[in-house]
Amino acid sequence: MKKFINNPEDVVEEMLEGMAAAHSDELRRLPGWNVLVRKDAPLPGKVGLVSGGGSGHEPAHAGYIGENMLDAAVAGEVFTSPAPDQIFEAIKAVDSGSGVLLIVKNFSGDVMNFDMAAEMAAAEGIETAQVVVKDDIAVERKEDRRGTAGTVLVHKIVGTALEEGLNLQEAVELAHHVTSRLGSMGISLSPSTVPASGKPGFTLADDEMELGTGIHGEPGMERKKIQPADAVAEELLDNVTAELDVKNGDDVIVLVNGQGSTPLMELYIVYRKAAQLLFERNISIHKSMVGEYMSSLEMAGCSLTLLKLDDTLKKYVT
């Protein structure tokens, strides 16, 4: 294992110290907690917006704290859900009296711990609501689908709407609307290594790739021989457009996300083919995003996310 770390047990603590120091003009850390908060939170009258999850997915989630985005992010240990008391501290830190919306990726630990934190908040008289993101279409059963890079688009659109004054119930409805029109699929070339274990999470032969892997290295749909970038882009795009029923005349946001160690050069090559195919199908790209938005430590690979837009959503796309 080759990593720029000190003690594997300290990676989250030291990462948070570094983030707080690097971005002290924008955010602050709650003393004693794995919680980073927008520096001017809570904003009077504004519904708070909180997300989080296991570390190792940076820049998610703390990288999305700020205006038109999150008010706070909670960091668990690497690939491990944050504890309920950590989430509860984040809720308290951003509550202005107008309630707090929790955006949760669909992993059992995250859902359970955010539920418990919401119960703790209710006992203190703080109103919360939760929206669970299930954008990974590689999982067949919709209720079991994992939350992946599409979660970032939920942060962005709902965060923008909350900045404009939506109340908690309106924000919940908007978040559900976003998730209903969102789909992602990933493909991996090599695994990641959790610092505490020192071993790769899975193995792939030098000539193999895996379609549909999750952001923690969960098994995908199929292992196959490595294909050229154009074939990868087409397979990902075809699966997502079919799932969302994206068709002639539709408008979409396209997000090509790096899993951690895929060069930006390669991500742009994948995006290039996806954009060509969408143009050929008369599907308009309203906004494009290429880069690392939700990584998986040093996993090699990428994911493709589409958000099928309508007039409601376009109002909040900046």
Side-chain angles (χ1 to χ4, degrees), residues 168 247 259:
L168 182 58
K247 54 187 181 299
Q259 293 179 341

Side-chain angles (χ1 to χ4, degrees), residues 119-304:
E119 292 173 2
M120 295 164 70
E124 296 287 331
I126 302 173
E127 184 181 8
T128 65
Q130 298 176 66
V131 172
V132 179
V133 182
K134 306 175 183 180
D135 61 309
D136 186 357
I137 68 163
V139 179
E140 186 174 356
R141 288 179 40 153
K142 290 186 177 182
E143 58 269 32
D144 295 335
R145 288 179 175 174
R146 304 168 292 223
T148 61
T151 308
V152 175
L153 297 178
V154 184
H155 295 166
K156 180 59 178 170
I157 290 175
V158 177
T160 299
L162 288 174
E163 211 79 39
E164 295 183 10
L166 261 64
N167 64 35
L168 182 58
Q169 184 55 43
E170 290 169 337
V172 169
E173 292 171 2
L174 176 63
H176 282 305
H177 187 57
V178 177
T179 60
S180 72
R181 304 173 71 87
L182 185 66
S184 303
M185 180 175 280
I187 193 163
S188 298
L189 300 175
S190 68
S192 60
T193 298
V194 174
S197 74
K199 298 178 181 179
F202 60 92
T203 58
L204 282 171
D206 289 344
D207 63 346
E208 284 185 323
M209 62 183 188
E210 183 156 357
L211 179 67
T213 43
I215 59 173
H216 308 109
E218 297 94 342
M221 302 162 57
E222 179 185 6
R223 288 193 177 189
K224 57 174 66 179
K225 298 299 182 181
I226 290 179
Q227 302 291 314
D230 284 1
V232 168
E234 185 165 7
E235 182 161 20
L236 294 176
L237 186 71
D238 285 350
N239 278 296
V240 179
T241 53
E243 177 67 28
L244 298 178
D245 192 28
V246 178
K247 54 187 181 299
N248 185 312
D250 284 338
D251 291 342
V252 296
I253 293 177
V254 182
L255 189 162
V256 174
N257 173 63
Q259 293 179 341
S261 67
T262 302
L264 194 55
M265 172 192 291
E266 296 174 25
L267 299 180
Y268 277 117
I269 291 171
V270 171
Y271 174 82
R272 159 194 160 273
K273 182 60 176 180
Q276 288 174 353
L277 291 169
L278 289 169
F279 177 79
E280 290 169 4
R281 299 170 189 181
N282 194 35
I283 298 165
S284 175
I285 299 175
H286 189 84
K287 183 180 180 68
S288 57
M289 302 165 67
V290 181
E292 289 188 358
Y293 292 90
M294 186 172 288
S295 64
S296 302
L297 294 172
E298 77 278 34
M299 190 184 295
C302 69
S303 61
L304 185 142

Side-chain angles (χ1 to χ4, degrees), residues 59-77:
H61 294 274
Y64 303 118
I65 295 171
E67 185 177 0
N68 294 323
M69 291 287 280
L70 299 177
D71 293 299
V74 193
E77 294 301 315

